[in-house]
């Protein structure tokens, strides 16, 4: 019989390429990884890994097993949680992944309300930007992923349950002494000659696309995923930026002025989960609280 813990180890070895790296990722010893892989191969009745130099290569049987592992592990988690709820165990566990501005604005209120209503439910949080957060969900490493996208991309999330939360408009940031600091709104074309400070990779791509639609390519002198760093650079007079309104809300800009940008640049904020997990009571309750918090 193939055990779930052995599948987790196989997936870790496949992802990292070695027993030692897999052990570090799983928080165990290399001999433990080796023993579990031997047990899995004995259960499967065939070789799953071949050592090539310092790395491990999957056999065709190993590739097939890894391909099915994520769905199996996600389904198993859903089954365990649902059975516990049916049996009257008033507890649950939710693994949440969120992008940083969501973590500082939407998540705290939602989790506080969830704890007050369901004190036995435990929620863990790690941060990751999409598409990595969505990959973690599909790989079975989280139960809910807060994500965003600029415009609907056909088929991007067709295999997932999508819970729309809100529309987040991007806001321009200019230094306090900038010529446009007091403007009611700013056309993106008015910033064509400015030095730009760009945010996360997905936001960066969107910025370039919007600027090119307005007839120029932005000169990006600084790029950072850290929103306070973006605001600090703008406040120091080193350039201008466009940031999500959620990010501006989460950090008080010093020396920088927020100005609405035209044309409006918006991103859709959603909570994602797998169809099986959506039926788990703790996951469903967390999704409901996120939606309520976003609606306030």
């Amino acid at each position: 019989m193939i055990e779930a813990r052995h599948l987790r180890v196989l997936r870790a070895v496949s992802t990292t390429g070695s027993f030692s790296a897999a052990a570090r990722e799983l928080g165990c010893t290399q001999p433990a990884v080796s023993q579990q892989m031997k047990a899995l191969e004995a259960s499967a009745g065939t070789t799953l890994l071949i050592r090539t130099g310092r790395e491990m290569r999957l056999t065709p049987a190993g590739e097939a097993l890894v391909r099915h592992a994520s769905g199996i592990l996600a389904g198993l988690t859903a089954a365990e949680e649902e059975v516990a709820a049916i049996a009257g165990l008033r507890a649950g566990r939710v693994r949440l992944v969120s992008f940083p501005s969501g973590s500082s604005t939407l998540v705290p209120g939602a989790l506080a309300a969830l704890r007050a209503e369901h004190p036995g439910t435990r929620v863990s949080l790690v941060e990751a930007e999409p598409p990595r957060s969505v990959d973690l969900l599909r790989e079975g490493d989280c139960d809910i992923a807060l994500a965003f996208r600029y415009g609907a991309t056909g088929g991007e999330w067709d295999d997932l349950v999508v819970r729309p939360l809100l529309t987040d408009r991007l806001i321009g940031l200019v230094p306090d002494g900038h010529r446009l600091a007091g403007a009611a709104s700013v056309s993106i074309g008015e910033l064509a000659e400015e030095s730009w400070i760009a945010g996360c990779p997905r936001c960066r791509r969107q910025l370039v696309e919007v600027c090119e639609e307005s007839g120029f390519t932005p000169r990006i002198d600084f790029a950072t995923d850290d929103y306070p760093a973006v605001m600090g650079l703008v406040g120091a007079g080193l350039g201008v930026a466009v940031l999500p309104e959620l990010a501006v809300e989460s950090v008080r800009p010093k020396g920088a002025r927020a100005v609405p940008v035209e044309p409006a640049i918006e991103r859709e904020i959603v909570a994602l989960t797998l169809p099986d997990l959506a039926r788990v009571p703790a996951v469903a309750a967390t999704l409901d609280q996120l939606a309520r918090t976003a609606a306030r």
Side-chain angles (χ1 to χ4, degrees):
M1 181 180 293
I2 295 176
E3 298 185 28
R5 61 194 178 99
H6 294 158
L7 289 178
R8 290 190 176 93
V9 172
L10 176 64
R11 192 177 63 186
V13 173
S14 171
T15 301
T16 62
S18 71
F19 283 178
S20 57
R24 287 194 296 272
E25 181 175 299
L26 296 170
C28 62
T29 64
Q30 181 175 341
V33 170
S34 178
Q35 290 170 7
Q36 292 195 50
M37 288 310 308
K38 287 179 181 177
L40 179 57
E41 289 183 327
S43 298
T46 186
T47 301
L48 302 174
L49 291 165
I50 298 173
R51 184 182 293 276
T52 56
R54 295 184 177 181
E55 293 191 345
M56 295 292 182
R57 178 171 59 85
L58 291 170
T59 65
E63 291 175 352
L65 202 51
V66 167
R67 192 165 58 249
H68 291 286
S70 296
I72 291 170
L73 293 172
L76 181 60
T77 299
E80 289 172 344
E81 295 285 356
E82 194 165 356
V83 168
I86 292 171
L89 181 63
R90 297 181 179 276
R93 177 178 65 99
V94 179
R95 298 166 299 166
L96 176 64
V97 174
S98 173
F99 53 93
S101 58
S103 299
S104 59
T105 54
L106 295 175
V107 171
L111 297 194
L114 182 69
R115 177 176 291 182
E117 189 172 337
H118 303 286
T121 299
R122 295 182 297 111
V123 182
S124 62
L125 171 68
V126 296
E127 288 190 340
E129 297 274 359
R132 180 55 187 154
S133 57
V134 184
D135 290 340
L136 290 171
L137 176 63
R138 290 193 174 109
E139 290 164 4
D141 292 326
C142 72
D143 304 309
I144 297 173
L146 256 63
F148 61 85
R149 62 182 172 185
Y150 294 93
T153 303
E156 182 183 16
W157 296 332
D158 284 354
D159 59 322
L160 304 174
V161 174
V162 181
R163 186 73 172 268
L165 298 180
L166 57 87
T167 299
D168 188 24
R169 179 167 178 165
L170 271 64
I171 302 295
L173 283 176
V174 298
D176 275 344
H178 193 275
R179 57 188 172 84
L180 298 173
S185 66
V186 174
S187 165
I188 199 79
E190 294 180 82
L191 302 172
E193 301 302 319
E194 301 285 345
S195 170
W196 283 86
I197 300 153
C200 74
R202 182 167 280 201
C203 296
R204 201 174 308 156
R205 288 195 300 272
Q206 180 67 15
L207 168 66
V208 171
E209 289 175 8
V210 170
C211 290
E212 289 180 344
E213 288 174 2
S214 296
F216 72 97
T217 299
R219 189 180 80 249
I220 298 175
D221 291 340
F222 304 95
T224 173
D225 293 347
D226 185 67
Y227 290 138
V230 173
M231 294 183 187
L233 291 166
V234 173
L238 296 173
V240 300
V242 172
L243 286 183
E245 192 168 9
L246 283 180
V248 177
E249 288 178 7
S250 66
V251 181
R252 185 184 299 276
K254 295 181 180 180
R257 186 75 60 89
V259 183
V261 172
E262 300 294 344
I265 310 169
E266 296 178 337
R267 62 177 186 171
E268 180 188 11
I269 309 296
V270 302
L272 304 172
T273 191
L274 296 169
D276 283 345
L277 291 172
R279 296 192 292 271
V280 176
V283 172
T286 305
L287 289 172
D288 288 343
Q289 290 295 353
L290 286 167
R292 292 189 191 110
T293 301
R296 291 171 187 162

